[in-house]
């Protein structure tokens, strides 16, 4: 995750429907925080994750989470 978009350095709160998602780690996507396949020349790969029921999630944008693509709070933000 060391090449991911770190513009904000804060978790990204999203409410997602059930499905398979791909978190961009290269920062080149025009559809951040999701991968749009723009990573091909970057050497980065997206992180696949699955949502089984509609819920609010917090995606890591600092690149330090041990639970990527989810924020684990090591950025200093307390999650609800
Ligand atoms: S566009 Fe960034 S990982 Fe795919
Ligand atoms: S945004 Fe990366 S751990 Fe919180």
């Amino acid at each position: 995750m060391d090449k991911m978009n770190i513009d904000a350095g804060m978790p990204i709160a999203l409410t997602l429907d059930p499905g398979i998602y791909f978190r961009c780690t290269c920062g080149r996507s025009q559809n951040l925080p999701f991968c749009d396949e723009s990573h091909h020349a970057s050497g980065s790969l997206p992180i696949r994750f699955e949502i089984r029921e509609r819920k609010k999630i917090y995606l890591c944008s600092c690149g330090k989470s041990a639970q990527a693509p989810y924020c684990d709070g090591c950025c200093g933000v307390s999650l609800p």
Side-chain angles (χ1 to χ4, degrees), residues 22-58:
F22 293 87
R23 170 66 164 117
C24 173
T25 62
C26 74
R28 296 182 178 189
S29 175
Q30 297 299 306
N31 189 35
L32 290 171
F34 302 108
C35 172
D36 72 353
E37 301 291 331
S38 297
H39 57 262
H40 289 300
S42 72
S44 296
L45 291 172
I47 299 172
R48 179 189 186 277
F49 65 102
E50 182 172 6
I51 300 296
R52 295 181 187 272
E53 60 186 35
R54 181 176 170 82
K55 66 179 179 178
K56 189 171 189 177
I57 64 163
Y58 297 87

